[in-house]
Amino acid sequence: MSTTTPPVRRFTPGGEGGPIRFGDHRIVMTPAVEAAEGGPLSTYSAFFGAGESADLPAPYDEVWVVIRGKIVVGEPGRTVSGEAGDHLHVPRDSPGTVEAIEDTELVCVSVPAH
């Protein structure tokens, strides 16, 4: 029985399937690696326009890598900011919001896959 290793792949913020826009907000996410592929994680690119915010709670852990811009994550009295080059660990079911202080691009990795 032979095991086939999946090929190395490249993803761009434009993505194969295209970006997902959230209503009238300047929040865009582009899936890359998805649960349907059977792996242990999911990845996506995200863009938040300056001043945009979204609720945090998610039923999975995430690591966000800030590519450019600046965000503030958490709940009042317990926030963390991140800017270009920073990695942020957002534990499953974290309370609060993410808010873009500047136009911000992120790469996000979620475990388990969703």
Side-chain angles (χ1 to χ4, degrees):
M1 175 179 198
S2 79
T3 303
T4 304
T5 302
V8 173
R9 300 182 312 178
R10 175 179 175 258
F11 300 97
T12 62
E16 291 177 19
I20 300 167
R21 298 188 183 280
F22 290 85
D24 294 333
H25 301 283
R26 291 187 331 131
I27 300 174
V28 179
M29 295 188 179
T30 306
V33 177
E34 300 183 77
E37 297 175 40
L41 56 85
S42 297
T43 66
Y44 60 93
S45 297
F47 171 82
F48 284 76
E52 294 290 352
S53 65
D55 291 334
L56 274 183
Y60 38 79
D61 285 284
E62 292 190 304
V63 172
W64 298 349
V65 180
V66 182
I67 304 301
R68 75 174 176 99
K70 184 174 183 178
I71 57 174
V72 174
V73 183
E75 59 185 331
R78 292 182 58 187
T79 60
V80 173
S81 62
E83 53 192 45
D86 288 344
H87 293 67
L88 303 173
H89 174 228
V90 183
R92 127 186 17 236
D93 299 322
S94 291
T97 60
V98 53
E99 180 181 0
I101 305 305
E102 305 170 358
D103 284 355
T104 301
E105 291 181 36
L106 307 166
V107 171
C108 307
V109 178
S110 306
V111 176
H114 61 89

